[in-house]
Amino acid sequence: DSGVTQTPKHLITATGQRVTLRCSPRSGDLSVYWYQQSLDQGLQFLIQYYNGEERAKGNILERFSAQQFPDLHSELNLSSLELGDSALYFCASSVGGSLDEQFFGPGTRLTVL
Amino acid sequence: GIQVEQSPPDLILQEGANSTLRCNFSDSVNNLQWFHQNPWGQLINLFYIPSGTKQNGRLSATTVATERYSLLYISSSQTTDSGVYFCAVDQTGANNLFFGTGTRLTVIP
């Protein structure tokens, strides 16, 4: 158990809908990272937050947004969902803010029908 | 963006055998990490290794940043080593993490 929690574990929704994925980092970690893993795109880094501020941005679509709250948990919002958004979404956390050693949550499997 | 290539794409080993996985990258990087994704999908960070050599039990990793490659060594492999091994690099100046396509390892009893 990495200490990083993600909810929900599974999510099934329809095209055009909006969903929110939640992540709680390990105790003491200030950074939260979001990743997408799909069959055709592989593992992609989406975005990093460090102590409430956006720190690094990867291949995150404009339809997606994220934030980190004062208690350091983070939410990833996915809107106007398309079939191609079906994927496993991972959250990870680390102590520092410079893309350092990360600990991953179990992931949220999103299926868009 | 930076190109990250891993080889081999697939590897089948007998339990107890040793193996070397390679990660090549096309540009300078700030750091490099190795991850293991087990057959149940869980991702585990193995090494954070921008340069030099690190060892953790039966696993060790070496990164030669000047030559743009990293190696992951697995000795005395066990069935629990099965899964996909990814390397990921933080490209200098990009503030982004780029993943390779992975090496799928199957260890047979």
Side-chain angles (χ1 to χ4, degrees):
Chain A
D1 184 359
S2 67
V4 179
T5 60
Q6 288 187 248
T7 56
K9 287 188 178 179
H10 302 276
L11 199 47
I12 301 174
T13 189
T15 53
Q17 295 298 305
R18 172 189 170 97
V19 297
T20 298
L21 313 184
R22 183 188 169 102
C23 169
S24 292
R26 291 187 321 159
S27 176
D29 285 359
L30 297 180
S31 272
V32 170
Y33 308 78
W34 286 98
Y35 296 89
Q36 180 194 59
Q37 186 176 31
S38 62
L39 283 174
D40 54 345
Q41 300 278 351
L43 251 174
Q44 291 194 100
F45 167 65
L46 297 179
I47 198 163
Q48 175 200 3
Y49 278 82
Y50 175 73
N51 206 20
E53 300 288 329
E54 182 183 306
R55 175 62 69 99
K57 206 165 186 175
N59 302 320
I60 188 165
L61 300 173
E62 285 192 9
R63 300 183 286 109
F64 297 179
S65 65
Q67 55 183 327
Q68 186 179 29
F69 294 86
D71 67 351
L72 300 178
H73 91 271
S74 177
E75 292 181 356
L76 178 67
N77 300 296
L78 315 176
S79 62
S80 303
L81 285 168
E82 302 174 0
L83 295 177
D85 298 327
S86 295
L88 199 51
Y89 291 85
F90 286 102
C91 162
S93 72
S94 71
V95 173
S98 56
L99 291 173
D100 60 358
E101 184 178 14
Q102 299 169 40
F103 297 85
F104 281 80
T108 293
R109 182 168 295 282
L110 173 67
T111 303
V112 182
L113 301 175
Chain B
I2 191 171
Q3 302 301 311
V4 184
E5 296 179 354
Q6 291 186 243
S7 60
D10 293 280
L11 187 57
I12 300 175
L13 295 177
Q14 202 75 39
E15 199 168 25
N18 302 327
S19 63
T20 301
L21 282 57
R22 188 176 181 103
C23 173
N24 292 334
F25 42 97
S26 61
D27 204 348
S28 59
V29 300
N30 294 327
N31 72 66
L32 182 143
Q33 302 182 56
W34 283 98
F35 298 92
H36 175 224
Q37 188 168 33
N38 66 25
W40 296 270
Q42 179 67 37
L43 272 166
I44 298 165
N45 188 304
L46 298 175
F47 294 102
Y48 175 84
I49 183 167
S51 63
T53 297
K54 288 186 177 179
Q55 178 144 12
N56 184 1
R58 297 181 295 103
L59 273 59
S60 65
T62 295
T63 296
V64 184
T66 53
E67 297 187 21
R68 299 181 182 169
Y69 73 90
S70 182
L71 302 174
L72 178 68
Y73 305 96
I74 304 174
S75 64
S76 304
S77 59
Q78 300 176 358
T79 55
T80 52
D81 295 331
S82 296
V84 183
Y85 290 80
F86 293 99
C87 70
V89 300
D90 171 19
Q91 183 182 12
T92 302
N95 209 25
N96 193 342
L97 204 57
F98 295 90
F99 283 79
T101 51
T103 291
R104 182 174 298 277
L105 174 65
T106 303
V107 180
I108 301 170

